[in-house]
Amino acid sequence: MVFVLVLVGCDSQPLQEKELRIGLIAPISGQIPEVGLATVEAAKLAVQEVNERGGLIIDDERYHVVLLIEDNQDNAEQTISAALRLINQQNVSAIIGPQASRNAIPAARYAEYAQIPMLSPWSTNPETTRNKKWVYRIAFNDTFQGQLMARFAYQDLGYQKAAVLYDVSSEYNRNLAEVFRAAFREQGGRVVAYELYTRDAPDVTEQLRRIQAAAPGVLFLPNYYNEVPEQARLARELGLDAMLLGSDTWTQIPEKDRDALEGAYFSTHYGVNKADGEAVHFRARYREAYNKEPNDVVALTYDAFGMLFEAAKRHGGTDPKGIRDALNTLGGYEGVTGRIEYRESGDPSKSAVLLEIKQGEFVFKRRIDPE
């Protein structure tokens, strides 16, 4: 990757160019390449905007932002290798990513040990940041997400019986399933079926037959976007007419694969049609650069870079500890996905967006704030 830097002088003393080196870990290949593409596009846009202005001004010095991209192949072992290369060989000041919780969790352990700030835009599993002082997320976490979907199912939609189908081999899916089950029961509902599968055995026909026999009013599918359309299609073919609910990974489901999901609801981080303020300008810039609408991965990743740039400016340098300390004391950062503020941990207090699938489109339903 090559960026062109135009230096702008300041009187007779030109600003000295230095570097802010940022590592990016993204699933460019593997099972969720669409997430990797969105991650890289957002990162390039954020970095390009800064460098085209002549660089990031930190304590009256000009810094060229260097983006170092690693493909983790959506694999935990490759993720660890990528993190180690960025930390030990590329001497980065911070790492953006990984995205999926199954990769962010192992990467977080190494970032914490090496004392390098790590900001995961999309990871929602609480384990990513638990007991960490150097690891942050931009998204809300799964405890909030699972609870709000359980309340929505029981209180707003009025369902008394729920079922869950989830991938037990993935931390993200498993934790969301557990939170939803506990929260739905706490509301007074019954979880009449709780079925699991694994990525290496994705045929869920028998699980869906057992769910159908239990006659739930709602079926929660906290699974990745590359699996949900087939699960929904099979459920409908088997005659299962339960309301389908999902989670934030659903935003990556292509329009051509949404037929069986008509009328379903899911929670996410960003509603493109409800963008205002700086989010409107961000949307326009992204559309100009890539000729498509930004999704939640794009918006969250862009916010991660924005927060990192702001922390470096507040700190007045690029050393990892100073950036980490600045992140803790930024106060509220107004990003394109909403207000982001860290207090006692790397988990921000953030609102969620509830979307409904209508005629293949994601339609804004409401915004849900933390209680």
Side-chain angles (χ1 to χ4, degrees):
M1 173 175 295
V2 177
F3 292 101
V4 177
L5 175 67
V6 179
L7 292 178
V8 180
C10 178
D11 296 328
S12 60
Q13 298 294 325
L15 293 175
Q16 181 180 359
E17 179 190 356
K18 295 186 177 182
E19 289 185 345
L20 171 59
R21 299 171 66 82
I22 302 174
L24 181 73
I25 302 178
I28 298 169
S29 60
Q31 292 190 327
I32 51 174
E34 293 85 358
V35 172
L37 176 63
T39 303
V40 172
E41 288 177 347
K44 287 182 176 180
L45 180 64
V47 171
Q48 182 179 0
E49 287 175 352
V50 169
N51 284 338
E52 285 184 346
R53 292 195 298 265
L56 193 67
I57 306 301
I58 302 175
D59 197 20
D60 294 328
E61 293 186 296
R62 192 179 301 279
Y63 284 75
H64 178 66
V65 181
V66 178
L67 181 63
L68 300 154
I69 301 174
E70 290 280 349
D71 178 11
N72 68 353
Q73 303 173 33
D74 187 28
N75 176 278
E77 292 183 0
Q78 292 297 327
T79 297
I80 293 170
S81 297
L84 291 175
R85 281 193 297 271
L86 291 170
I87 294 168
N88 297 327
Q89 298 176 24
Q90 299 293 350
N91 299 314
V92 297
S93 294
I95 293 173
I96 303 292
Q99 299 284 26
S101 293
R102 59 197 182 210
N103 301 315
I105 291 170
R109 300 188 188 108
Y110 285 86
E112 185 75 9
Y113 178 79
Q115 297 188 346
I116 296 292
M118 174 183 135
L119 290 82
S120 177
W122 200 51
S123 171
T124 52
N125 189 290
E127 192 61 32
T128 299
T129 55
R130 182 173 286 131
N131 299 323
K132 308 287 195 311
K133 296 181 178 179
W134 294 80
V135 181
Y136 303 81
R137 77 174 88 245
I138 307 301
F140 51 67
N141 67 26
D142 285 333
T143 301
F144 173 55
Q145 181 173 203
Q147 290 174 346
L148 78 86
M149 291 308 293
R151 287 195 300 269
F152 178 69
Y154 186 82
Q155 297 180 9
D156 294 76
L157 299 179
Y159 290 109
Q160 304 291 313
K161 297 195 299 182
V164 182
L165 174 67
Y166 69 101
D167 177 5
V168 71
S169 65
S170 173
E171 291 90 345
Y172 167 85
N173 312 49
R174 184 174 63 249
N175 185 68
L176 257 177
E178 292 170 351
V179 172
F180 179 90
R181 178 174 62 173
F184 193 77
R185 287 173 171 172
E186 186 176 336
Q187 300 293 310
R190 294 172 53 212
V191 177
V192 295
Y194 194 71
E195 296 287 341
L196 56 86
Y197 67 97
T198 59
R199 271 179 290 167
D200 58 355
D203 185 354
V204 294
T205 303
E206 292 306 314
Q207 293 94 320
L208 286 172
R209 283 177 176 154
R210 289 192 290 269
I211 290 172
Q212 182 187 25
V218 62
L219 171 58
F220 185 48
L221 297 172
N223 305 317
Y224 280 89
Y225 69 92
N226 56 323
E227 299 172 325
V228 167
E230 177 62 19
Q231 294 170 355
R233 183 194 62 78
L234 183 56
R236 297 314 188 208
E237 287 182 355
L238 292 172
L240 181 59
D241 61 358
M243 168 66 72
L244 300 181
L245 299 181
S247 52
D248 59 308
T249 66
W250 282 31
T251 54
Q252 302 298 312
I253 297 174
E255 186 174 351
K256 64 180 179 61
D257 294 333
R258 299 173 190 170
D259 290 350
L261 293 164
E262 182 69 18
Y265 294 93
F266 65 96
S267 53
T268 189
H269 313 269
Y270 172 76
V272 66
N273 294 324
K274 287 295 178 179
D276 54 17
E278 174 57 26
V280 174
H281 302 296
F282 155 73
R283 180 185 181 188
R285 292 192 297 269
Y286 182 82
R287 290 173 66 178
E288 181 180 2
Y290 300 109
N291 195 32
K292 58 185 176 181
E293 293 284 4
N295 58 33
D296 67 327
V297 172
V298 172
L300 290 166
T301 303
Y302 187 84
D303 275 352
F305 277 87
M307 288 200 71
L308 185 58
F309 294 154
E310 186 63 25
K313 289 190 291 185
R314 294 281 187 93
H315 161 55
T318 61
D319 63 283
K321 183 180 185 302
I323 290 175
R324 190 279 307 266
D325 292 345
L327 284 169
N328 290 337
T329 58
L330 273 183
Y333 175 81
E334 297 296 338
V336 298
T337 61
R339 184 178 176 84
I340 306 168
E341 183 176 1
Y342 301 112
R343 294 171 184 169
E344 297 180 356
S345 71
D347 288 335
S349 176
K350 288 190 69 177
S351 300
V353 173
L354 191 67
L355 300 182
E356 182 181 5
I357 301 178
K358 284 186 175 182
Q359 298 180 341
E361 298 291 330
F362 294 154
V363 179
F364 178 85
K365 180 71 174 178
R366 71 178 64 165
R367 183 177 298 277
I368 301 175
D369 298 321
E371 292 185 343

